[in-house]
Amino acid sequence: MTALMTTNLGATPLLGRGKVRDLYAVNGDLLLVATDRISAFDYVLGSGIPDKGKILTQISLFWFDLLKDLVPNHLITADVREFPAALRVYAGQLEGRSMLVKRAAMFPVECVARGYLAGSGWKEYRTAGSVCGIRLPAGLQDGSRLPEPIFTPATKAEGGTHDENISFSAVEKQLGAAQSAELRDLTLAIYSRAAAHAKTCGLILADTKFEFGKTAEGVILADEVLTPDSSRFWDGNTWKPGGAQPSFDKQFVRDYLEEIRWNKQAPAPALPDVVVERTRAKYLEAFRRLTGRDIGA
Ligand SMILES: Nc1ncnc2c1ncn2[C@@H]1O[C@H](COP(=O)(O)OP(=O)(O)OP(=O)(O)O)[C@@H](O)[C@H]1O
Ligand SMILES: [Mg+2]
């Protein structure tokens, strides 16, 4: 079993490589290819997780389908046989892990919904008693459930730097009141539907990030959706507010990096086989629990 760390599609114009995905231009459309790279503490690690890109792509596809009556999305096809002929020769790299999508004019806002306090939300609450300017009741803990889900937008930071939480009025200044309200309402509606589904699988969807774009047909849901890379999933059985919750997918990785006392600076270390194996099993478990089927990867 090997991990696909980087793709090479010959003359296909490469638009960029994110921490996890490689992005290509295909005629007027985009090709998103999820590799097996894994990041922790904002660094891509020296080892990949075999099939992670396939599992995450299949999770996104599952959600696009589950949400399609709520919001249109950017997917054209994830079936390599329907890709332009020039791409089909790369099927070995693309199968299961790529999506041909409509290119949209992306809104410059990360649309985050939170149903629970964690990460930057918890940090801001601890010092300000609010998140993105939304006042919250006193006495909440790290991991607490919020009285109701909230929209906590963030700026889209360039190249690996940290996103910054912003207030809804800052979004309104940039996009106007009507457009901002539309993105907020969509974000919360999708979160509710997804959190309800996750609950039936014994999972808590603590928070998640969406990216929307605009095409001639209107606003569409783009990027990846509701994957462990864009969301915090917690195991409903072990959830216990009062400290950082175990990460569903990356806990073995984080524990290992703490254990070797990595200084969280480049170069990021590689992972021992046992950590890779256990982490792979968690991604497969996430897929199986969310979709009720096996991936066959
Ligand atoms: N349908 C689409 N049309 C146009 N751009 C899109 C579409 N879907 C996703 N994108 C953009 O493609 C890019 C995907 O990059 P990717 O998320 O892999 O890396 P990144 O955001 O640069 O870094 P990171 O790995 O930290 O997320 C993002 O900028 C995203 O906004
Ligand atoms: Mg991204």
Side-chain angles (χ1 to χ4, degrees):
M1 219 164 16
T2 53
L4 180 72
M5 294 301 275
T6 185
T7 58
N8 180 346
L9 305 186
T12 318
L14 176 72
L15 294 176
R17 298 187 202 274
K19 285 198 279 292
V20 172
R21 286 167 306 156
D22 293 348
L23 190 62
Y24 293 87
V26 175
N27 308 323
D29 303 319
L30 287 182
L31 182 71
L32 296 174
V33 192
T35 69
D36 294 332
R37 298 191 291 265
I38 183 170
S39 69
F41 306 112
D42 277 336
Y43 284 88
V44 176
L45 302 180
S47 315
I49 308 295
D51 296 323
K52 170 175 177 276
K54 289 188 185 177
I55 300 165
L56 264 56
T57 298
Q58 299 306 312
I59 289 177
S60 272
L61 291 171
F62 167 80
W63 288 114
F64 278 136
D65 190 54
L66 189 103
L67 298 165
K68 65 181 184 237
D69 63 303
L70 203 58
V71 58
N73 64 66
H74 65 169
L75 182 67
I76 300 169
T77 181
D79 184 343
V80 177
R81 289 166 304 182
E82 294 173 0
F83 287 4
L87 286 175
R88 275 180 253 146
V89 295
Y90 300 109
Q93 292 175 70
L94 299 175
E95 209 84 69
R97 61 172 78 243
S98 54
M99 287 189 226
L100 192 61
V101 303
K102 284 177 235 163
R103 192 168 196 161
M106 300 298 287
F107 293 107
V109 179
E110 309 242 306
C111 292
V112 179
R114 297 172 190 271
Y116 293 74
L117 264 188
S120 69
W122 162 245
K123 263 191 212 143
E124 203 183 317
Y125 171 78
R126 210 175 38 179
T127 53
S130 59
V131 182
C132 294
I134 301 169
R135 282 226 71 82
L136 294 172
L140 297 178
Q141 296 179 292
D142 192 359
S144 283
R145 183 172 187 183
L146 297 173
E148 59 184 358
I150 54 174
F151 177 59
T152 61
T155 55
K156 272 185 74 158
E158 291 301 319
T161 50
H162 264 300
D163 301 333
E164 221 175 285
N165 289 345
I166 52 175
S167 66
F168 186 65
S169 60
V171 180
E172 285 183 313
K173 274 197 196 104
Q174 221 178 341
L175 302 180
Q179 188 64 83
S180 305
E182 183 183 6
L183 297 186
R184 177 198 58 203
D185 294 350
L186 273 174
T187 299
L188 292 173
I190 302 168
Y191 173 83
S192 301
R193 166 94 57 101
H197 176 78
K199 195 172 176 194
T200 66
C201 311
L203 296 171
I204 291 172
L205 176 60
D207 55 40
T208 190
K209 183 235 7 170
F210 302 115
E211 294 187 28
F212 296 96
K214 205 162 190 170
T215 65
E217 288 100 73
V219 172
I220 58 169
L221 180 58
D223 210 58
E224 62 179 332
V225 284
L226 295 153
T227 68
D229 276 5
S230 69
S231 321
R232 279 191 182 85
F233 287 101
W234 296 334
D235 196 319
N237 283 329
T238 54
W239 171 59
K240 189 166 169 279
Q245 305 301 300
S247 156
F248 189 87
D249 52 315
K250 287 187 184 166
Q251 199 57 44
F252 294 121
V253 172
R254 291 190 189 151
D255 290 348
Y256 172 73
L257 295 173
E258 299 292 356
E259 184 189 308
I260 62 166
R261 296 167 185 264
W262 173 43
N263 60 6
K264 295 172 190 163
Q265 286 168 26
L271 302 169
D273 289 350
V274 54
V275 175
V276 169
E277 255 316 304
R278 284 187 181 160
T279 302
R280 182 173 183 277
K282 292 304 286 187
Y283 283 107
L284 285 169
E285 184 189 340
F287 178 83
R288 201 180 311 115
R289 283 176 69 169
L290 286 170
T291 68
R293 52 194 167 88
D294 274 309
I295 194 146

